[in-house]
Amino acid sequence: MGRNLSLTAYRALSRRKAQSAATSYSMRPPGELVWAHATSESRLSALCDLGARLKSQRPGLSLLLTTDPDLFTPPPRLPDGADFIYPLVSDHPDSVAEFLAHWQPDAGLWTGGHLLPNLICTASARNVPMILL
């Protein structure tokens, strides 16, 4: 199947934009890591519940939650089920590569819209299974 011209153009043009400031992440824990992205408060709550259930069935599993930057406010404490929570600030190819190289998620869950093409393509290239919920 041929490459999509719109996606190719988006990916090329997004590299021209200024990269956002680097995010300082916590150290990645050993073992399995599921990355889940929420585009709303209700989805964030649902993902925390799902994370708690997954962790009860798979000891050693860690849950990384990300949110849209406008939704993110640092919580006073992590929600039950979550081990980490960060905003996804950019779809810049370098930011995406840095994020995925650091966390090396074993699977990704995406809730709602606001899809980030560079993130999805890079995750696919790194063989990270992605599920759109």
Side-chain angles (χ1 to χ4, degrees), residues 28-29 31-35 64 97-107 126 128:
R28 186 201 191 278
E32 294 178 306
L33 180 106
V34 172
W35 158 47
L64 164 65
E98 177 187 319
F99 174 82
L100 291 172
H102 177 81
W103 290 109
Q104 301 174 6
D106 295 294
R126 292 175 184 239
V128 177

Side-chain angles (χ1 to χ4, degrees), residues 25-87:
Y25 297 120
S26 300
M27 184 181 285
R28 186 201 191 278
E32 294 178 306
L33 180 106
V34 172
W35 158 47
H37 182 76
T39 56
S40 71
E41 288 286 340
S42 61
R43 290 182 177 116
L44 181 64
S45 177
L47 286 173
C48 288
D49 292 343
L50 177 62
R53 293 190 73 180
L54 287 172
K55 290 169 73 170
S56 73
Q57 295 176 11
R58 294 188 75 97
L61 177 86
S62 298
L63 179 67
L64 164 65
L65 286 173
T66 57
T67 65
D68 289 341
D70 54 336
L71 175 66
F72 183 78
T73 53
R77 69 175 192 75
L78 285 172
D80 290 339
D83 295 295
F84 308 95
I85 186 166
Y86 291 99

Side-chain angles (χ1 to χ4, degrees), residues 2 8 12-13 22-24 39-40 63 87-89 97-98 106 109-110 119-122:
T8 302
L13 292 172
T23 303
S24 177
T39 56
S40 71
L63 179 67
L88 272 183
V89 295
E98 177 187 319
D106 295 294
L109 307 173
W110 195 279
L119 185 60
I120 293 168
C121 289
T122 305

